[in-house]
Amino acid sequence: MEEEKCVFCMIASKKVPAKEVYEDQMIMGVLDINPASKGHVIMIPKKHYNNIYEIPQDEFLQYVSVARAVGYAILLSLAPNNVEMLYTKELTKGSITPHALIHLIPRYNDDTINHVWQPQKMEESDFVAIENAIKSAIEKVKAAETQKPAKPAVEEQKKPENGVKEVKPQINISRKVVVF
Ligand SMILES: [Zn+2]
């Protein structure tokens, strides 16, 4: 997605109007025009990132810190039971957002939100293989951070390990991933 065509970049640069509840140099919080519940806010990094894994760690820490504060303001002002913080590429059903967003979704007793899933059956050996695959990837992410120039860690997974078939990431990460 080119940044000049991204609706969230246009909201951030005020080319598209929105109900702004929060703004600073890096981040904007606006009311979602298709709210899941009363007070549903989307927190938009002003700089275009395709997903949260592209956001440098220092910016991300600031981003979630502000999102938490705005979530707390929603709790105080609208008195829901809770405010969920959700990262998802799915904006509304069938519509995928091109821009990294955190949703702040107030929950009420009578809301119609349903996050319940059907638990998947998994063998002990599958759990162990998955555990090892993720732990191994974490080591690669850490190693990538100490090498200069660092490459996106998820692209460094080359060989299948621990009996788990290699799966290419479904997301496109074009910028350096900064973690740990
Ligand atoms: Zn954008």
Side-chain angles (χ1 to χ4, degrees):
M1 172 67 61
E2 290 169 48
E3 289 159 34
E4 58 268 28
K5 289 180 185 166
C6 170
V7 68
F8 301 100
C9 286
M10 289 196 278
I11 291 171
S13 60
K14 319 251 176 167
K15 288 176 187 150
V16 167
K19 299 276 188 299
E20 297 166 24
V21 297
Y22 178 85
E23 184 177 11
D24 65 24
Q25 285 188 324
M26 277 174 52
I27 304 154
M28 188 178 273
V30 305
L31 295 184
D32 193 310
I33 56 167
N34 294 303
S37 64
K38 184 181 73 178
H40 179 173
V41 166
I42 47 175
M43 300 301 293
I44 307 171
K46 287 187 174 178
K47 190 171 166 187
H48 183 90
Y49 295 106
N50 293 307
N51 57 69
I52 60 168
Y53 301 101
E54 289 185 359
I55 303 177
Q57 190 180 34
D58 53 346
E59 279 181 42
F60 186 73
L61 292 176
Q62 175 68 14
Y63 179 42
V64 290
S65 176
V66 167
R68 176 178 175 273
V70 174
Y72 188 53
I74 295 170
L75 266 179
L76 293 179
S77 55
L78 302 178
N81 297 329
N82 193 13
V83 177
E84 296 178 340
M85 290 178 68
L86 176 70
Y87 168 68
T88 177
K89 292 296 283 177
E90 197 165 345
L91 193 59
T92 51
K93 198 161 190 179
S95 165
I96 304 296
T97 170
H99 189 116
L101 298 175
I102 290 177
H103 294 258
L104 298 173
I105 303 178
R107 297 302 307 267
Y108 305 90
N109 286 338
D110 59 350
D111 69 39
T112 57
I113 298 161
N114 185 357
H115 296 317
V116 176
W117 58 85
Q118 197 68 41
Q120 302 296 299
K121 280 207 164 153
M122 208 168 282
E123 302 295 328
E124 171 65 15
S125 58
D126 292 331
F127 277 115
V128 171
I130 291 164
E131 175 192 359
N132 288 334
I134 295 172
K135 282 158 83 174
S136 167
I138 287 171
E139 290 310 311
K140 288 177 183 169
V141 173
K142 284 181 178 173
E145 266 305 281
T146 58
Q147 289 164 10
K148 300 294 174 190
K151 291 175 187 167
V154 288
E155 287 177 9
E156 299 208 343
Q157 231 179 348
K158 282 174 189 143
K159 289 178 222 155
E161 288 183 22
N162 308 312
V164 174
K165 221 175 133 186
E166 183 186 14
V167 180
K168 287 213 164 167
Q170 297 298 302
I171 54 173
N172 174 29
I173 297 179
S174 59
R175 290 178 170 86
K176 184 187 166 193
V177 179
V178 181
V179 281
F180 302 110

